[in-house]
């Protein structure tokens, strides 16, 4: 069964910390995505990548960066965590734009 | 701007009471409409892709249909385990292949 694995289900970090969220897929997918999901706001795209070392800004990239050094791994970095980055973070991958996403289980991040 | 609207926001059903969820869209050049199911605290799970008006897909008690302006997710004789949030997403032909997500319908099925 194909999988997208996010390294942590729950994470608590302090304001100002640098935070790394890791995502690994085992499906040889070209495209990978990072979303955040907040009540009442739905899914919002932070960054996406359509190839190794390539990245594109989504709708809300401010305060985030990403890294894709290998095809299977896409990392989201919060340079200096703030309380307004408390959220559920979802990683996804897809074979191409014509296909649906496979999502990870999510990381619920709390910044205190 | 592409718009995807799901209705209702929340739906409560009794077990066995069939109903439909709606996903309406105002986009140019539909390239795919996707349905997902999301359980609380988990990532969305892909259900269906529909590409053209008149297309239908089925999975157990779920049936998705597509017209030129909307999609319906029909739930026949639902069970409590069908309780979840159902999301739709629309991909268009214009530029980016990134789909636009609706905000979802929260379904609760009471035993």
């Amino acid at each position: 069964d194909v999988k997208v694995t996010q390294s942590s289900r729950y994470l608590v970090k302090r304001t100002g910390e640098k935070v790394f969220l890791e995502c690994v897929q085992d499906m040889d997918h070209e495209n990978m995505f990072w979303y955040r999901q907040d009540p009442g706001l739905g899914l919002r795209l932070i960054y996406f990548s359509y190839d190794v070392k390539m990245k594109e800004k989504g709708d809300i990239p401010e305060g985030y960066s990403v890294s894709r050094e290998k095809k299977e791994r896409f990392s989201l970095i919060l340079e200096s965590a703030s309380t307004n980055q408390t959220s559920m973070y979802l990683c996804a991958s897809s074979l191409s734009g014509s296909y649906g996403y496979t999502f990870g289980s999510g990381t619920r991040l709390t910044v205190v | 701007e592409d718009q995807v609207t799901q209705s209702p926001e929340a739906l409560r059903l009794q077990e066995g009471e069939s109903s439909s969820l709606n996903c309406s869209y105002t986009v140019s050049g539909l390239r795919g409409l996707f349905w997902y199911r999301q359980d609380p605290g988990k990532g969305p799970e892909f259900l269906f892709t529909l590409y053209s008006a008149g297309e239908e897909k089925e999975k157990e008690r779920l049936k998705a249909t597509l017209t030129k302006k909307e999609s319906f997710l029909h739930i026949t004789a639902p069970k409590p385990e069908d309780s979840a949030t159902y999301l739709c997403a629309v991909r268009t032909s214009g530029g980016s292949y990134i789909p636009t997500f609706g905000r979802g319908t929260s379904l609760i099925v009471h035993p």
Side-chain angles (χ1 to χ4, degrees):
Chain A
D1 200 12
V2 295
K3 275 191 177 177
V4 175
T5 303
Q6 295 185 230
S7 54
S8 305
R9 289 298 307 275
Y10 300 95
L11 214 51
V12 179
K13 295 292 182 182
R14 296 195 177 276
T15 302
E17 276 193 79
K18 191 169 186 175
V19 181
F20 294 85
L21 302 183
E22 305 289 344
C23 175
V24 177
Q25 51 99 357
D26 65 359
M27 298 163 284
D28 203 35
H29 283 175
E30 302 290 336
N31 307 316
M32 297 189 74
F33 310 85
W34 275 106
Y35 285 87
R36 63 177 285 177
Q37 186 175 35
D38 301 286
L41 297 177
L43 283 164
R44 292 183 291 170
L45 182 64
I46 305 171
Y47 267 96
F48 62 102
S49 168
Y50 52 87
D51 201 353
V52 176
K53 296 193 185 293
M54 303 301 288
K55 60 185 179 184
E56 296 282 346
K57 293 180 180 179
D59 299 319
I60 52 163
E62 297 77 20
Y64 304 94
S65 63
V66 290
S67 172
R68 194 166 180 200
E69 295 297 318
K70 294 184 178 181
K71 190 175 186 179
E72 66 270 19
R73 186 179 297 270
F74 192 36
S75 303
L76 180 69
I77 304 153
L78 285 66
E79 298 291 342
S80 177
S82 64
T83 55
N84 62 13
Q85 292 178 310
T86 291
S87 185
M88 168 71 102
Y89 288 87
L90 290 163
C91 176
S93 73
S94 72
L95 183 59
S96 74
S98 300
Y99 293 85
Y101 291 174
T102 301
F103 281 90
S105 297
T107 295
R108 185 162 295 281
L109 172 67
T110 302
V111 182
V112 297
Chain B
E1 184 181 323
D2 297 339
Q3 296 272 359
V4 180
T5 304
Q6 291 189 247
S7 62
E9 287 186 19
L11 182 62
R12 293 177 180 269
L13 300 174
Q14 288 297 128
E15 185 171 3
E17 179 188 1
S18 301
S19 188
S20 297
L21 313 183
N22 178 264
C23 173
S24 65
Y25 56 92
T26 53
V27 302
S28 55
L30 180 72
R31 289 294 193 193
L33 186 141
F34 308 91
W35 281 101
Y36 295 85
R37 169 196 169 121
Q38 186 174 23
D39 293 306
K42 295 187 177 181
E45 176 188 351
F46 171 74
L47 293 173
F48 306 112
T49 307
L50 302 167
Y51 292 104
S52 57
E55 190 175 357
E56 300 181 351
K57 294 273 180 75
E58 285 189 69
K59 181 179 180 179
E60 297 180 357
R61 295 176 292 283
L62 300 177
K63 180 180 176 180
T65 62
L66 182 65
T67 72
K68 288 186 177 179
K69 292 184 178 181
E70 58 193 348
S71 176
F72 291 95
L73 186 64
H74 307 278
I75 304 176
T76 302
K79 299 182 177 182
E81 53 261 44
D82 294 322
S83 299
T85 294
Y86 291 86
L87 299 169
C88 78
V90 170
R91 179 176 167 258
T92 67
S93 59
S96 168
Y97 57 84
I98 305 298
T100 300
F101 279 85
R103 297 195 177 179
T105 293
S106 173
L107 172 66
I108 297 176
V109 182
H110 296 284

